[in-house]
Amino acid sequence: MHWQIFHWIAGSILALAWFSRIVEAAIGMPHVADIAQPQWDRRSATSNPDKANDEPRISIIVPARNEEEDIRQTLVRLLALEYSNYEIIAVNDRSTDHTGQIMNGVVAAEHDLPAQAKITAHAPADKNVRPERLKVIHITELPAGWLGKTHAMWTAGQHATGEWLLFTDADVLFRPDSLRRAIAYAEEERADHVVLFPQMIMNGVGERMMLAFFQVLFVFGHRPWKVADPKARDHMGVGAFNMVRRPVYDAVGTYRALRMDVIDDMKLGKIIKNAGFVQRNVFGKDLISLRWAKSAFGVVNNLTKNFFALLYFQWWRTLITIVGIAFINLGPFLGVWLAHGWARIPYAVALGSLFAIYCGMSIRSAIPPYYFFLSARASSYIYFCVRCSMLFRTTALCGVVRSIR
């Protein structure tokens, strides 16, 4: 009898948690714009060069450290954007591979520079390639009190001339019409910060399983449909596409305010929203795309590096998260199996709501709903990931403390 009461209480909590979230998502998600729709395809200035000066100037900032596999394709795609008034600032952040040389090669090929104009991959930071469209900055030393990526972003921001700053990553592929659609939406909405969700390139069952579950956690922990609400605390930031007005970027303290933040993309969104500026997040299908990780363990590895930082490096938050993930995601499966009779009903409601979330996500991604049946396995991987992240980051922080001493 006591177990029946326990199952009714636990099952009801799970049913309420998942059912309320699917109802919220069903009502709210349709209000999140999709800028891949025809109404955002505005070509006026692109098709008429005489109107190029009417377009807001955009500075695209691309930090890269040991990205020799992806950086060439990323820069070539950016140079092919159907937008007239923009610049690209690529930052080679102390790479030990051929990233800097590849950047210089793209510059030389695009602008037909002579071989003598190229510089070595490890030139000092003040020796920069500065053609009209693409600028390359080479950083060889990291100042104290900075993380590499945030310092690279801040450095590029110091050289940027745009009214808008677009922060992206070195492995993101842009469709030619992506920028003009994003700026058309931003200007019409009078937004100060626009986040465009990327399309994930996935190969194999493991990647789809992990990314599907990560999206479920994202929907449960963040509410994209509430980001536009100035009264809500919900905020957004995505490393693949964070576009912010220059005055707003300056007003929140630039990347100097985030110099030691591991999850700088989300933190940028947070400080912008908290400062009262207008924030929007949008879908865009394949306007931008990236391969975030190779294999299920590649996803786990990427999350391991950042999860503890997401929890503010606090072990008690991490322990609560581990228990919470197990309860919220494994609870419905275990409950249906262990409970008896009518006590299974709330667990079934929770499972049905979770499946509905997978169905809804399949509309926006290339992950079929039947990956729901692998969510319990993915949950165990995430549990492992959070635990490893705590151990990894704690060890790294201890190393930093020892080096300071």
Side-chain angles (χ1 to χ4, degrees):
M1 185 67 179
H2 294 299
W3 280 110
Q4 287 291 89
I5 295 174
F6 169 81
H7 282 304
W8 272 108
I9 294 174
S12 297
I13 292 172
L14 289 168
L16 179 62
W18 282 114
F19 185 73
S20 62
R21 190 45 49 103
I22 188 59
V23 169
E24 259 197 292
I27 296 173
M29 277 297 196
H31 297 286
V32 179
D34 181 355
I35 62 171
Q37 295 300 314
Q39 65 263 35
W40 301 111
D41 187 14
R42 302 175 185 179
R43 300 172 175 264
S44 58
T46 305
S47 57
N48 184 358
D50 293 335
K51 295 185 178 181
N53 290 333
D54 295 336
E55 294 179 323
R57 183 161 177 78
I58 303 174
S59 298
I60 303 176
I61 293 172
V62 189
R65 177 173 168 81
N66 295 337
E67 297 281 0
E68 62 181 5
E69 292 186 14
D70 301 308
I71 191 62
R72 184 189 304 277
Q73 188 177 15
T74 295
L75 293 179
V76 168
R77 289 284 195 99
L78 288 173
L79 287 165
L81 290 174
E82 295 171 352
Y83 194 83
S84 302
N85 194 12
Y86 75 102
E87 63 178 350
I88 306 165
I89 305 176
V91 186
N92 171 30
D93 179 27
R94 301 165 295 130
S95 296
T96 56
D97 62 4
H98 296 96
T99 297
Q101 293 169 326
I102 292 171
M103 286 179 173
N104 295 333
V106 174
V107 169
E110 178 66 20
H111 297 275
D112 203 22
L113 295 176
Q116 293 82 353
K118 301 180 185 179
I119 60 177
T120 63
H122 301 288
D126 60 341
K127 295 181 180 178
N128 305 318
V129 180
R130 292 182 177 275
E132 183 180 351
R133 179 76 77 194
L134 173 60
K135 305 173 184 178
V136 175
I137 300 173
H138 297 274
I139 295 175
T140 57
E141 294 182 4
L142 180 64
W146 285 87
L147 294 179
K149 185 178 179 183
T150 54
H151 178 253
M153 303 272 231
W154 176 80
T155 301
Q158 296 295 100
H159 292 82
T161 62
E163 302 166 51
W164 286 87
L165 304 181
L166 169 53
F167 297 99
T168 186
D169 289 328
D171 56 354
V172 180
L173 302 177
F174 281 66
R175 214 172 73 181
D177 56 337
S178 57
L179 190 57
R180 72 166 187 260
R181 287 174 176 269
I183 201 65
Y185 173 83
E187 292 291 311
E188 180 157 318
E189 287 289 309
R190 297 183 179 179
D192 297 309
H193 178 218
V194 175
V195 173
L196 172 58
F197 295 122
Q199 182 180 81
M200 296 296 183
I201 300 171
M202 295 167 286
N203 295 323
V205 173
E207 287 179 40
R208 290 185 176 89
M209 174 187 74
M210 292 304 299
L211 287 172
F213 188 74
F214 181 69
Q215 289 176 350
V216 169
L217 288 181
F218 186 78
V219 169
F220 195 88
H222 297 269
R223 299 180 295 177
W225 55 89
K226 296 292 285 185
V227 166
D229 183 357
K231 297 179 181 178
R233 297 183 63 183
D234 302 79
H235 59 275
M236 193 62 63
V238 171
F241 197 103
N242 261 338
M243 190 171 72
V244 57
R245 291 184 191 270
R246 180 59 190 253
V248 173
Y249 172 74
D250 291 334
V252 298
T254 76
Y255 260 95
R256 182 177 288 278
L258 307 174
R259 54 189 178 276
M260 289 297 291
D261 275 288
V262 176
I263 311 178
D264 59 277
D265 50 359
M266 284 294 291
K267 191 61 178 291
L268 179 63
K270 182 176 182 178
I271 63 175
I272 289 173
K273 181 69 180 288
N274 288 348
F277 294 107
V278 179
Q279 190 172 82
R280 296 287 186 272
N281 50 206
V282 296
F283 294 107
K285 297 180 181 177
D286 64 341
L287 287 178
I288 61 171
S289 57
L290 75 151
R291 180 93 182 272
W292 193 57
K294 298 178 181 178
S295 81
F297 286 102
V299 177
V300 170
N301 183 57
N302 282 351
L303 292 175
T304 297
K305 292 185 291 186
N306 295 325
F307 233 120
F308 196 36
L310 184 64
L311 300 171
Y312 301 98
F313 301 104
Q314 295 173 333
W315 65 268
W316 62 270
R317 284 179 182 265
T318 305
L319 292 178
I320 291 174
T321 299
I322 289 173
V323 173
I325 288 175
F327 177 68
I328 289 292
N329 296 286
L330 295 179
F333 291 94
L334 292 174
V336 166
W337 179 44
L338 296 174
H340 300 284
W342 293 102
R344 289 178 172 174
I345 290 178
Y347 293 114
V349 171
L351 282 178
S353 302
L354 179 57
F355 180 69
I357 289 178
Y358 270 83
C359 291
M361 290 190 310
S362 68
I363 299 172
R364 299 288 185 180
S365 68
I367 304 175
Y370 54 73
Y371 274 85
F372 157 81
F373 296 102
L374 294 176
S375 61
R377 182 176 180 181
S379 180
S380 65
Y381 281 33
I382 294 293
Y383 169 86
F384 171 78
C385 160
V386 176
R387 182 174 176 272
C388 287
S389 182
M390 180 175 66
L391 296 175
F392 172 78
R393 285 295 175 188
T394 300
T395 303
L397 286 172
C398 288
V400 171
V401 171
R402 289 194 196 101
S403 67
I404 293 173
R405 288 177 178 173

